[in-house]
Amino acid sequence: MSVSPSATSPISLVSSVSSVSSAGSAPTQADLYDFVRRAAADTELIDSLPIDPEGRTWVRLDGPGGSEAWLIGWPPGTGTGWHDHADSVGAFLTASGELQENSLAARLPTDGWKTLELTEDVDRVRRLRAGQGRAFGRHHVHEVLNESPDRHAISVHAYYPPLPQIRRYSRSGPVLRLEQVERPEDWQ
């Protein structure tokens, strides 16, 4: 079950949270990371997220410089599955609880493939406790999980440009298979 309490009307944050280093320019990975760090420290914002014990919840935020941003709640045992954010760069940070990010340290072809066999040394695992996060570049393939058996996690995410698509993958051992391509209208 997924709940989107406010997919159509983003929550605005104070201007210091959504500032970009140089006026009129596209936000960088560092700008996005600074935004998610500041937003995650906003206890009033974090406490405003509706929590569902069975499914992820999310609220859209006004990100810096025209970026797309989300506040996401993760019940115990939930995750995203393997995916990428196409041509967008991004950042995310755990505001409460702990998340695990499994990622691939490999540059994948962007188009024209359905199945790839990965080498043994591409897997990366990061445990991100409250206050920890990361920025990432285009075509970053990962999955994010709340592996806690009993504790919710909350995180803040930002992407630029706003997500044109998300590619979803299945993984069986070293085999990564493209399963579906989602567009913004599929999740908003």
Side-chain angles (χ1 to χ4, degrees):
M1 174 185 206
S2 295
V3 178
S4 178
S6 183
T8 56
S9 56
I11 293 177
S12 294
L13 302 176
V14 294
S15 60
S16 64
V17 171
S18 58
S19 64
V20 175
S21 56
S22 39
S25 66
T28 64
Q29 289 177 40
D31 294 326
L32 296 175
Y33 188 79
D34 185 55
F35 170 82
V36 298
R37 184 185 54 75
R38 291 179 187 212
D42 183 338
T43 56
E44 187 176 328
L45 174 68
I46 301 308
D47 292 344
S48 74
L49 180 67
I51 299 297
D52 182 331
E54 297 178 21
R56 288 190 301 147
T57 54
W58 54 88
V59 174
R60 185 154 186 178
L61 306 174
D62 282 327
S67 65
E68 180 173 341
W70 297 91
L71 177 62
I72 301 176
W74 306 78
T78 59
T80 60
W82 288 95
H83 67 283
D84 72 16
H85 306 100
D87 291 320
S88 297
V89 298
F92 73 100
L93 191 131
T94 305
S96 69
E98 179 177 301
L99 294 171
Q100 177 173 307
E101 181 198 33
N102 299 324
S103 63
L104 300 177
R107 186 63 137 187
L108 302 181
T110 57
D111 291 309
W113 66 276
K114 285 284 193 183
T115 304
L116 290 174
E117 188 160 342
L118 304 169
T119 62
E120 290 182 24
D121 59 348
V122 298
D123 289 296
R124 301 293 182 266
V125 177
R126 289 180 180 84
R127 292 207 178 275
L128 302 169
R129 293 176 180 83
Q132 296 178 325
R134 71 179 314 252
F136 53 85
R138 291 169 169 74
H139 310 290
H140 175 69
V141 177
H142 69 166
E143 66 176 345
V144 180
L145 310 160
N146 178 3
E147 293 189 322
S148 171
D150 57 5
R151 186 161 182 224
H152 246 80
I154 297 175
S155 58
V156 181
H157 303 246
Y159 311 98
Y160 189 85
L163 297 173
Q165 65 184 13
I166 292 178
R167 289 181 287 238
R168 300 229 175 247
Y169 306 97
S170 63
R171 174 107 188 253
S172 178
V175 177
L176 186 71
R177 180 171 285 111
L178 177 64
E179 296 291 346
Q180 139 183 31
V181 177
E182 295 177 359
R183 308 234 178 264
E185 57 271 15
D186 297 326
W187 65 81
Q188 294 181 8

